Structure formats: structure tokens, C-alpha cells
Amino acid sequence: MAEELNPFKIAQAQLDTAAETMNLDRQAHAILREPMRTLTVNIPVRMSDKQVHTYTGFRVQYNDARGPTKGGIRFHPQENIDTVKALSAWMTWKCSLANIPYGGAKGGIICDPKGMDERELESLSRAYIRSLGRYIGPDVDIPAPDVYTTPQIMAWMMDEYSNIVRHNEWGVITGKPVEIWGSEGRKDSTAMGAMYIMREAAKMLKIDLKKAKIAVQGFGNAGMYAYTLSKKMFGANVVAISDSKGGVYDPDGLDLKKLNDAKDKTGSVDGYKSKNAEKVSNEKLLELDVDILIPAAIENQVRGDNADDIKAKLLLELANGPVTPEADAILHEKKVLDLPDFLVNSGGVVGSYFEWVQNINGYYWETDDFYAKLDKILTKSFKSTIDMRKSYMDNGKRISPRTAAYIVAVDRVAKAMKVRGWY
Ligand code: GLU
């Protein structure tokens, strides 16, 4: 039978596993299996050739028992409602595990941002906010950047929302440019969070990061910073990196300037030139003989059909949903420590939380404070996951870090729903 790759079915299956393991109340489980609100909008936008094109967009608000819903907006040609639903569920678990006062949401527009000019992108961004304006707000639902959305797009969206409510509402959206009170540190906070997790996991597994070999799949905001920060903070050797077109492997390590040159000249990092560099496909990159593997691109990269070929001892899911449940089971058997997305990439939303707190208070922190607070939260999330896993292990039940993290996160949301009288 073909493996189930529908992200929402995957998210539900992950929840079901956790629910069974933790003996979750049946009614709480039923509430948590579906999003509370699913919105679809069709937005006409006048393109630069004067024609009107109608785009379809989504916003899914999964659960707000612990606070306003929170999560990014993706601009992607293959966007679909099930992916957005899954991502909104993962945001719920992410905010809960980090113990920040938010529920989860996600948005998306089916579009190809690479084929649009700046004016078209601005019109689309503003139109999306006009059609969703009444359903979002700093106490209701707070969007942020995600795949192919940028601080500039957040700025247009914040501006449009402010026009609707007739005052500047900085806290309606995060990941803004610093000129309009985005936060110092937010830009690399997703990757920075993963670095703190990597530091803790390496300590636990006794991996010497100075000697470790790392492969990173993806050269977007998360992947690019994961590469630079691994080198800068730990002196680690990143031997492979890729983008959507292909990748490069060099056992001697990779140089940022050469990577950027390759990207500028050939459109992909696979055009990288050095003595020992060779091209590597996105598939093969995952199977390289490295200590740490960081998938930082898109969903469903490590699956039932390739999980057995993974050689890394530590897998850090910096992308959302890069490992399928079948792969999960295989990695678990192989004793690869696979740390789940909603732990590893939670630095992004924690950074967003800091931005929102500063916006609401109108008081802005030093960058050092931002990172110190980020470190504290991420280290604590790691510890709660590992402690939860250990408490099951001590009772003779070997559970994966993903299930352990789910149990921590789901338990908090279930308890909030319970005291509120939802079940
Ligand atoms: N898009 C990021 C994520 O998936 C950040 C979300 C946010 O900052 O609200 O976690």
C-alpha cells in the first residue's frame, strides 16, 4: 500500500499515537483532531497586464484554548487546504510545547510568487488582509512569514490592517521589518532556536560539534541561517547544502561567499565550484554519511522508502513535516535521534512572540536579551521533551521524541480546554 502523504492525515495520525499513549480523554481527542475554524477566500487582483486574476487563499485557526491563534502565511503554487490544516495543527503543538500564550493557525495563498512583480505581490498581500481582516487581530489571530513570504509582505499586511482598524496595529502581524517595530533577532530566530536544540542534543549524545559533519537540506531563511550559525557558533563542518534545484557536497566544508556566487550565477547552490565539491541531489543529500542531518525545506522528505538509508545519528527537523510516520518508525528502530519539527523550529514563533510582546508594551529590548530569552525557552522545551520520554522509558515504554513532545503539548491544550469547560 502506498504511504499516506497527506499532511493533515499525518498530523492526525501523530496526534492519535500520542492520545493513545497518554490515554487522552476521548472528547478532548475529538476536539483536537479537527481545526476550529477553516476559512477559504477568493481574491481578485489586478495584474500588471491589467487583467484580473482570482487567487484562492486559506486561513485555518486550529485551536485557541491557550490564546490567540498564531502562525505564518505561505505563498506557494501547490498550496492546498490539507497542508494548511496540518500546519495549523503543528502550530498549536509548537506554541504549547514552547509554553507561549498562543493557539495555532496557518494561512496560505495558491500563487507563484517567483512569477509575480512587486506591485502584484503587494496587491495580493493587501487583498488577502482585506478579505480576512475581520477574523484576525492582535488578540485574535496573528500571522507571520513562512514559505516565500517576507518581512516586506508583513509590512504591507500590517499597513492594510491598520487602515481597516484606523490606527497603527503593530501587533497584528510578526516578522515585520525593524523599521516598523519588527524585532531585532526575529530574522534568524528559527535557525537560532535549532542551534540551541542542537547544542543540547549533541551534549546528550556526546557529539563533539567542532568535529561534527552536518548536511542541510534547504537554503531558505531557515536553512541558510542554520548553515552560517552552525559554523559560527560551534565551528561545525557543514559539508552539504541544497536548494529546490539541487545541492552541493564538499567533504572539506562549504564557503558562504562561493555558495552565494553559485546561486547568483547559476540560480542554484549546485553550481558551487571548489576542488573537491560535487553535485548532490536533494534525495542523496539526506543519505550522506554525516553526524547531523537538518532537513530545512519542505514536507515529506524522509519517508518509508528512504528512512533506512539515513546515516546521521541526529536528525533536526527544521522544516515543517519533513519526516513521515512510516519513516518515524524506521528511524526509531535504527535509534536515530529524530527531534520533531514543532520543537526544533519553534524559535521562529518564539521570536514572533517576543516581537508581539514588545509591540504591545511599546518597549523594545536589546538583541542580547532577545537571544538569552530564546535560549531559555528552547532549552526548556528540549528538556520537557526528553524528560517526558524518560518518564515513559522508566516505565518500560520506549516512545519517540515526537510522541513525547506531543504528550507535553497536547496535555497543556487539553487542560486549558478542560478548565474552560469545553469538555
Ligand atoms: N512560520 C513560522 C512557523 O512555522 C513562524 C510562525 C510565527 O512566527 O507565527 O513556525
Side-chain angles (χ1 to χ4, degrees):
M1 207 173 77
E3 186 175 2
E4 177 62 70
L5 294 180
N6 176 313
F8 188 54
K9 293 249 165 67
I10 290 179
Q12 286 184 318
Q14 292 167 341
L15 172 69
D16 295 346
T17 304
E20 201 192 313
T21 312
M22 71 195 282
N23 221 347
L24 179 68
D25 179 277
R26 194 177 40 79
Q27 303 158 89
H29 186 188
I31 304 174
L32 294 175
R33 279 193 107 239
E34 296 290 339
M36 300 187 63
R37 183 182 281 143
T38 301
L39 301 157
T40 301
V41 290
N42 289 299
I43 351 176
V45 175
R46 191 165 301 279
M47 309 304 283
S48 296
D49 65 3
K50 304 279 187 295
Q51 298 295 305
V52 169
H53 185 94
T54 302
Y55 289 92
T56 300
F58 311 105
R59 184 77 184 163
V60 180
Q61 297 166 342
Y62 199 82
N63 185 292
D64 68 354
R66 284 171 45 90
T69 51
K70 182 89 191 80
I73 299 168
R74 316 196 320 161
F75 282 6
H76 202 278
Q78 268 91 49
E79 195 57 284
N80 65 76
I81 189 62
D82 279 348
T83 308
V84 182
K85 276 160 76 173
L87 289 159
S88 71
W90 290 327
M91 282 310 303
T92 310
W93 315 134
K94 196 180 297 191
C95 294
S96 176
L97 181 65
N99 211 3
I100 55 177
Y102 291 141
K106 204 78 174 197
I109 303 180
I110 308 170
C111 67
D112 177 15
K114 289 182 184 165
M116 296 167 76
D117 66 31
E118 214 193 1
R119 196 207 58 78
E120 291 169 340
L121 273 178
E122 177 173 353
S123 300
L124 177 62
S125 306
R126 288 185 184 276
Y128 179 75
I129 292 301
R130 276 197 304 279
S131 63
L132 281 176
R134 72 189 67 184
Y135 300 104
I136 65 169
D139 304 315
V140 183
D141 179 20
I142 308 138
D146 203 285
V147 173
Y148 296 141
T149 48
T150 58
Q152 174 62 75
I153 290 175
M154 299 305 112
W156 290 324
M157 290 183 169
M158 176 267 155
D159 187 68
E160 192 66 29
Y161 184 81
S162 296
N163 286 333
I164 297 172
V165 296
R166 299 186 299 124
H167 62 264
N168 283 329
E169 192 64 86
W170 314 113
V172 67
I173 207 158
T174 56
K176 299 180 293 295
V178 285
E179 292 80 357
I180 53 163
W181 312 109
S183 182
E184 295 287 351
R186 170 64 183 87
K187 224 173 140 184
D188 64 4
S189 63
T190 308
M192 189 59 100
M195 295 297 110
Y196 300 138
I197 300 287
M198 181 160 90
R199 181 193 64 207
E200 295 305 308
K203 235 188 272 170
M204 191 173 90
L205 297 178
K206 302 197 170 42
I207 296 175
D208 180 355
L209 287 176
K210 266 200 219 68
K211 296 198 189 113
K213 282 188 281 176
I214 302 181
V216 180
Q217 187 197 50
F219 199 56
N221 184 51
M224 201 268 282
Y225 282 116
Y227 157 79
T228 49
L229 293 172
S230 305
K231 281 178 54 155
K232 195 170 121 194
M233 292 169 66
F234 308 113
N237 189 12
V238 181
V239 293
I241 199 156
S242 62
D243 53 38
S244 59
K245 300 205 180 75
V248 53
Y249 169 64
D250 186 336
D252 304 328
L254 299 164
D255 175 75
L256 182 62
K257 190 174 170 312
K258 285 189 187 159
L259 282 171
N260 283 329
D261 284 352
K263 191 106 192 143
D264 288 347
K265 283 195 199 113
T266 67
S268 168
V269 292
D270 80 348
Y272 185 94
K273 292 269 168 313
S274 76
K275 200 166 99 244
N276 291 320
E278 48 188 272
K279 281 187 203 273
V280 62
S281 67
N282 266 300
E283 284 282 299
K284 286 279 169 250
L285 178 139
L286 302 169
E287 299 167 11
L288 289 172
D289 190 6
V290 292
D291 303 290
I292 302 172
L293 175 64
I294 309 185
I298 48 168
E299 310 89 57
N300 297 338
Q301 296 303 294
V302 183
R303 296 171 305 266
D305 59 2
N306 63 355
D308 208 25
D309 299 317
I310 302 290
K311 298 185 189 59
K313 297 188 255 318
L314 172 62
L315 198 152
L316 295 170
E317 299 182 11
L318 190 50
N320 285 313
V323 176
T324 66
E326 265 185 41
D328 228 350
I330 298 169
L331 296 173
H332 191 57
E333 276 307 304
K334 277 167 63 92
K335 304 225 160 67
V336 175
L337 188 75
D338 169 20
L339 295 178
D341 45 9
F342 66 97
L343 167 66
V344 174
N345 70 28
S346 61
V349 74
V350 175
S352 279
Y353 167 53
F354 294 163
E355 178 175 333
W356 177 80
V357 166
Q358 293 173 80
N359 290 158
I360 284 175
N361 290 308
Y363 175 72
Y364 289 84
W365 316 342
E366 300 289 332
T367 315
D368 287 354
D369 287 344
F370 180 100
Y371 288 124
K373 287 189 168 68
L374 187 67
D375 192 349
K376 217 167 166 179
I377 290 186
L378 270 287
T379 304
K380 209 163 161 188
S381 301
F382 175 81
K383 204 172 166 306
S384 350
T385 303
I386 298 301
D387 287 352
M388 181 58 79
R389 187 170 186 233
K390 191 168 173 306
S391 72
Y392 276 84
M393 300 271 212
D394 289 347
N395 287 312
K397 197 164 166 49
R398 195 170 159 257
I399 63 171
S400 67
R402 185 182 326 274
T403 300
Y406 258 97
I407 295 174
V408 176
V410 169
D411 184 55
R412 286 182 184 147
V413 180
K415 282 190 174 132
M417 296 197 304
K418 180 82 190 162
V419 285
R420 292 181 66 155
W422 292 9
Y423 72 93

